[in-house]
Structures are given as structure tokens and as C-alpha cells.
């Protein structure tokens, strides 16, 4: 019965994509900018990720431990994307999505979690239903005559975009659409699936339970550099869906992107961020527990206005094949004194890897990727987990600390213009930073349809 239900979801998703194909084709055939106030269909996608966790060694486990006996899970996401051109260099974008299914361990037990789409489940939200992913105004003021043509794509109307411009965005957004992007490691639906390689694991960026928030972004875009600032609402509690008022809790970031060779060349991004929210303090939680003889509880120590800050260094280096073959690396750090609030439980994170075009074996649209991620915790954070404290991702009940290490490799097989199949292998040493457990081995396959 479970297999039949999953198959019905897959067939329904493919049917929706096929039905939308003629509409998208007409949009792409229009070389002129779309008319004012006319909604445009910009794309649709369906992604299915099935994963199998093998059994692993475990001296003990806790309420959020990765299942030591093994487990399998299937997640499914569907999305449709629209845009509308408005006067005065404005555009309106609207994205609707739906998530169904789950991930291994119900999305917990690892810092470098194995399925990036599982965040869309919105753990604790009850019945899964369609939701608004993005709804925002986008303003682009050209600063010169030089421009680059753009095809219709998700959150991108067809037409020309000025190479030098002022860009503003306001509304419901995904912060990582604008910050910590990377050509080779940013898209769980077509590239690496592990959270370590979607964004820097120690970048605790503002987001609700599904990965979205409300905010404002301002950017000065130049041919060889970009300066970007963003301020967003933080959730009222760690990994929560309800967002706090921006005067009470906010996430701010500044990023400088350097691309001296222009579009298509190497890029170096330098990002700094500061969050303010009703966070708990690891030191205070440990002190209260020691004084009362209880287990530390970071949530019970939440205080409005506590800060978390950190930085990310993010680089990509195209090597060949018009950039289809290249390398990436990220290093991130946060102060590690206040609780992890929105992304995953990591205070130091290093990831390196690369992508190879299939042109070398006669499959120019295929891709092969391999990456290594190493995550670590601050001393206070590890002491909190060792004393039996729980975060929203990790809780083994104790801790024999070691760096969590992730290796992932995938092969993306392009079948026709719209369909991809990607087998995926992941190996995780010290899952949840615990040398008493693991290693975890995960075999997966992803199917992705997009127009």
C-alpha cells in the first residue's frame, strides 16, 4: 500500500508538469519583455528523493538519534512559479509549493542532514498542505546601457537584465536565494542533497520551519563585484513557524561578492551575519542544570534580544566546459554561545568539492559531483549535548564528541529536456558529533522533473 501511494504521487506530479508544458513553451517563445500586469507562468517542478539508511553501530541513543537499526524514507516536493511585470522597473513573483513524505530519522540526528528537501516538511505543523513559498516585489534600476538577456525561469521574467543596477526585494523570501549562493553546491533538487553542501552549515540564517521568512534585500550590482544587505524576521522560537516582529528579532547580513573575470568566472563571497532573537545561552543552561541537579534545557533559558554572529567565506572556481566542470569551497564560523535557531546544529563548518561535466564520456548534460564536509561545535555547545541537553536537530542523551564528517557523491543523469535521475551515496562519520555511533551509510535516488 505504501508503494502504491508513493507511485500515485509520482504519477500525479508528472501529469501536472506535462499539462503545464504548452504554457511554458509560449512564454519562452516570446523574445520581448512580457506585457505589464499580465501574470506569466515561469516554471514548475516535482522532486522525489528516496533514501535508505543502513544499520549502524550505536552504544546508546536518545530521543533525536538517527535510527541505529536503519530506515527508509521518501520525500516529495511540487512547485509552480509565476511572475508579473509592473511599471517603473518592478516585478511581482509568486511561488507555491507542496511537500509530502518524510526523511530518515524524521529530519533529525545529523548536523549534515542527508535530504535538503525535508526542511520543506515544516516539522510539527501537522497535516501537510500547499503553502506560499515566496511572494515579493523585485525592483531593478539600471545604472548603464549594458545588459544580458535572460530566459524565463523560476523567479525570473524573460527579457534583459542590466549588468550594473540597484536591486531591491521586499516580501516573503528565501534568504539563501540571495546569500551564500554557489554555482556547484546550492540546489538539493539538482546537485548535492546534504545540508552541508546546500549552504554553509554554521550559517544560522533567518528562516521559519519551512525555510522561508519575510524580509528586505538591497544590492548594488556591478560587472565585477556586488554588495548586498538583507534584514529578515527571525522565528519566535528555535525552528519555529511563527515569525517575531522584526524590531524584536531579526537576522541581518552583509555580503560582498567578487567576480573579477565577470559573469561565468571565479567568484569569492565574504559574508557576515548577526541574529537577534529569543535565544537560550548554553552557559546559562549548563549553570542552571548544575545548580538544580537537572538536565540542561536551552529553551527554558530563552531571553529576548540575545545575539548570534558569524561569517562565511564561499568560493567557486570554474575549470572547463563553460563552467560545467569546477570546484567549490566554504568555511563558516559562529560564536557558538547561543542556541542554534534556524538552520542546523553546527558552529564551525568546512566543505569542499567539485562537479564534472559528462562531456568527457559523451553525456554533456550529465553531472558527477563529490564533496567532503566537516562540522564542529563550540565547547559550550558540545558540553550542553554531553550533559543530555537537546537541540532541535540533535539529542543522543550523551556525547562522545568528534567532528561530524560527511562524504557525498551523486551522478545526475539527464533524460531528455525535462527529466533527471540521480543516484546518490552518503557516508557520515560520528553522526550527531558522536563517536559512540555510526558511521551512517545512506543510499538514495532522486527523480526531478522541471520545466
Amino acid at each position: 500500500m505504501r508503494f502504491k501511494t508513493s507511485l500515485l504521487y509520482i504519477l500525479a506530479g508528472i501529469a501536472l508538469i506535462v499539462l503545464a508544458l504548452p504554457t511554458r513553451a509560449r512564454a519562452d517563445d516570446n523574445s520581448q519583455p512580457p506585457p505589464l500586469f499580465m501574470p506569466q507562468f515561469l516554471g514548475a517542478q516535482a522532486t522525489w528523493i528516496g533514501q535508505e539508511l543502513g544499520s549502524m553501530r550505536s552504544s546508546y541513543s536518545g530521543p533525536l538519534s538517527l535510527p541505529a537499526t536503519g530506515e527508509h524514507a521518501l520525500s516529495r516536493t511540487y512547485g509552480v512559479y509565476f511572475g508579473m511585470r509592473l511599471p517603473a522597473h518592478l516585478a511581482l513573483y509568486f511561488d507555491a509549493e507542496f511537500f509530502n513524505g518524510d526523511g530518515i530519522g524524521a529530519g533529525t540526528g545529523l548536523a549534515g542532514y542527508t535530504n535538503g528537501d525535508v526542511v520543506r516538511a515544516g516539522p510539527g505543523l501537522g497535516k501537510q498542505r500547499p503553502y506560499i513559498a515566496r511572494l515579493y516585489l523585485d525592483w531593478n534600476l539600471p545604472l548603464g546601457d549594458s545588459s544580458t538577456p535572460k530566459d524565463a525561469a523560476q523567479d525570473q521574467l524573460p527579457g534583459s537584465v542590466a549588468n550594473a543596477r540597484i536591486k531591491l526585494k521586499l516580501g516573503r523570501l528565501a534568504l539563501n536565494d540571495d546569500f551564500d549562493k554557489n554555482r556547484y553546491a546550492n540546489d538539493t533538487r539538482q546537485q548535492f542533497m546534504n545540508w552541508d553542501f546546500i549552504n554553509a552549515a554554521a550559517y544560522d540564517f533567518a528562516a521559519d520551519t519551512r525555510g522561508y521568512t519575510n524580509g528586505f534585500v538591497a544590492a548594488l550590482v556591478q560587472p565585477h563585484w556586488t554588495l548586498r544587505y538583507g534584514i529578515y524576521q527571525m522565528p519566535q522560537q528555535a525552528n519555529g513557524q511563527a515569525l517575531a516582529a522584526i524590531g524584536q528579532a531579526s537576522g541581518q547580513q552583509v555580503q560582498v561578492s567578487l567576480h573579477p573575470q565577470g559573469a561565468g568566472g571565479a567568484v569569492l563571497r565574504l559574508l557576515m551575519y548577526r541574529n537577534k532573537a529569543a535565544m537560550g545561552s548554553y552557559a546559562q543552561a549548563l549553570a542552571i542544570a548544575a545548580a538544580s541537579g537537572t538536565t540542561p534545557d536551552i529553551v527554558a533559558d530563552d531571553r529576548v534580544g540575545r545575539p548570534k554572529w558569524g561569517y562565511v567565506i564561499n568560493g567557486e572556481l570554474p575549470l572547463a566546459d563553460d563552467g560545467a566542470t569546477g570546484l567549490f569551497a566554504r568555511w563558516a564560523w559562529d560564536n557558538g554561545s547561543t542556541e542554534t535557531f534556524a538552520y542546523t546544529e553546527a558552529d564551525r563548518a568546512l566543505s569542499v568539492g567539485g562537479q564534472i561535466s559528462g562531456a568527457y564520456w559523451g553525456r554533456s548534460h550529465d553531472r558527477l559531483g563529490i564533496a567532503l564536509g566537516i562540522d564542529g561545535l563550540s565547547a559550550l555547545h558540545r558540553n550542553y549535548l554531553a550533559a543530555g541537553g537537546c537541540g532541535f536537530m540533535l539529542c543522543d542523551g550523551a556525547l562522545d564528541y568528534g567532528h561530524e564528517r560527511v562524504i557525498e557523491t551523486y551522478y545526475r543523469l539527464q533524460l531528455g529536456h525535462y527529466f533527471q535521475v540521480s543516484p546518490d551515496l552518503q557516508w557520515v562519520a560520528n553522526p550527531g558529533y558522536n563517536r559512540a555511533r555510526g558511521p551512517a551509510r545512506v543510499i538514495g535516488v532522486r527523480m526531478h522533473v522541471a520545466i
Side-chain angles (χ1 to χ4, degrees):
M1 178 63 70
R2 191 173 188 178
F3 172 77
K4 290 181 179 178
T5 302
S6 299
L7 183 60
L8 285 174
Y9 276 115
I10 291 172
L11 292 174
I14 292 175
L16 287 172
I17 297 297
V18 171
L19 287 173
L21 282 174
T23 308
R24 177 58 183 273
R26 286 195 296 269
D28 285 344
D29 288 343
N30 184 4
S31 59
Q32 299 298 319
L36 291 174
F37 303 111
M38 181 66 68
Q40 301 288 313
F41 172 73
L42 297 180
Q45 73 85 30
T47 304
W48 306 271
I49 298 177
Q51 293 186 323
E52 180 82 25
L53 169 69
S55 60
M56 65 182 190
R57 177 182 60 89
S58 177
S59 301
Y60 53 84
S61 63
L64 297 183
S65 294
L66 205 62
T69 55
E71 191 177 59
H72 64 270
L74 176 66
S75 70
R76 302 166 285 267
T77 56
Y78 309 92
V80 289
Y81 312 106
F82 301 91
M84 183 167 63
R85 192 167 72 93
L86 301 174
H89 306 291
L90 278 167
L92 176 69
Y93 292 99
F94 171 76
D95 299 350
E97 293 189 340
F98 174 68
F99 178 94
N100 186 268
D102 210 342
I104 58 175
T108 63
L110 296 165
Y113 188 71
T114 58
N115 181 348
D117 250 358
V118 167
V119 70
R120 308 305 180 203
L125 296 184
K127 185 179 179 180
Q128 295 167 335
R129 53 174 58 89
Y131 56 89
I132 296 174
R134 298 170 185 83
L135 178 59
Y136 67 92
L137 284 168
D138 184 38
W139 183 68
N140 286 271
L141 178 66
L143 298 179
D145 297 330
S146 175
S147 64
T148 301
K150 298 289 184 180
D151 293 330
Q154 180 183 341
D155 303 328
Q156 179 178 284
L157 287 164
S160 296
V161 177
N163 295 328
R165 64 190 185 275
I166 295 173
K167 181 179 180 69
L168 305 178
K169 294 170 68 173
L170 175 67
R172 181 161 179 79
L173 303 165
L175 182 151
N176 53 354
D177 286 347
D178 295 286
F179 295 91
D180 194 33
K181 291 178 68 66
N182 193 287
R183 179 175 187 167
Y184 304 110
N186 218 174
D187 184 356
T188 193
R189 294 169 182 170
Q190 298 191 72
Q191 298 171 330
F192 297 98
M193 301 184 205
N194 194 284
W195 290 19
D196 272 3
F197 313 123
I198 303 169
N199 291 102
Y203 180 25
D204 198 18
F205 57 86
D208 64 14
T209 306
R210 292 195 189 278
Y212 301 103
T213 183
N214 301 318
F216 168 76
V217 183
L220 175 58
V221 181
Q222 295 292 316
H224 299 292
W225 58 270
T226 300
L227 176 63
R228 183 173 280 111
Y229 167 80
I231 181 169
Y232 303 85
Q233 289 179 268
M234 292 287 288
Q236 294 179 5
Q237 62 185 28
N239 198 37
Q241 183 66 12
L243 298 172
I246 204 161
Q248 187 177 51
S250 63
Q252 300 186 66
Q253 32 270 304
V254 176
Q255 178 178 279
V256 177
S257 301
L258 306 174
H259 28 96
Q261 299 169 328
V267 183
L268 177 65
R269 300 175 182 88
L270 308 173
L271 183 154
M272 296 185 66
Y273 74 96
R274 185 181 188 274
N275 297 339
K276 180 182 71 171
M279 299 180 188
S281 161
Y282 292 117
Q284 289 291 328
L286 287 165
I288 293 169
S292 59
T294 58
T295 300
D297 182 358
I298 193 76
V299 177
D301 185 55
D302 283 353
R303 296 291 184 274
V304 174
R306 281 188 172 141
K308 178 187 287 289
W309 63 88
Y311 66 86
V312 180
I313 302 172
N314 171 340
E316 62 188 58
L317 179 63
L319 297 176
D321 311 307
D322 293 325
T325 296
L327 304 173
F328 78 91
R330 285 186 176 101
W331 163 253
W333 175 96
D334 71 47
N335 62 317
S337 61
T338 47
E339 69 179 304
T340 300
F341 217 72
Y343 190 45
T344 192
E345 297 199 47
D347 302 311
R348 293 90 175 93
L350 172 68
S351 61
V352 294
Q355 173 184 285
I356 303 173
S357 168
Y360 295 99
W361 49 91
R363 298 278 309 174
S364 60
H365 296 292
D366 291 2
R367 300 290 183 266
L368 171 65
I370 185 167
L372 166 68
I374 303 174
D375 298 330
L377 298 175
S378 68
L380 287 171
H381 196 163
R382 74 181 72 157
N383 291 342
Y384 171 79
L385 293 175
C390 294
F392 64 80
M393 294 285 293
L394 304 178
C395 189
D396 283 340
L399 187 68
D400 181 11
Y401 179 75
H403 289 97
E404 186 179 273
R405 302 190 301 276
V406 177
I407 297 175
E408 179 180 2
T409 184
Y410 72 90
Y411 185 86
R412 192 180 81 199
L413 178 66
Q414 187 74 40
L415 299 173
H417 188 69
Y418 303 107
F419 187 53
Q420 300 170 353
V421 177
S422 303
D424 181 89
L425 298 174
Q426 298 183 47
W427 177 86
V428 186
N430 305 328
Y433 304 101
N434 203 337
R435 291 185 292 189
R437 312 187 79 243
R441 299 174 178 86
V442 178
I443 300 172
V445 65
R446 171 180 60 206
M447 292 187 293
H448 177 71
V449 182
I451 58 172

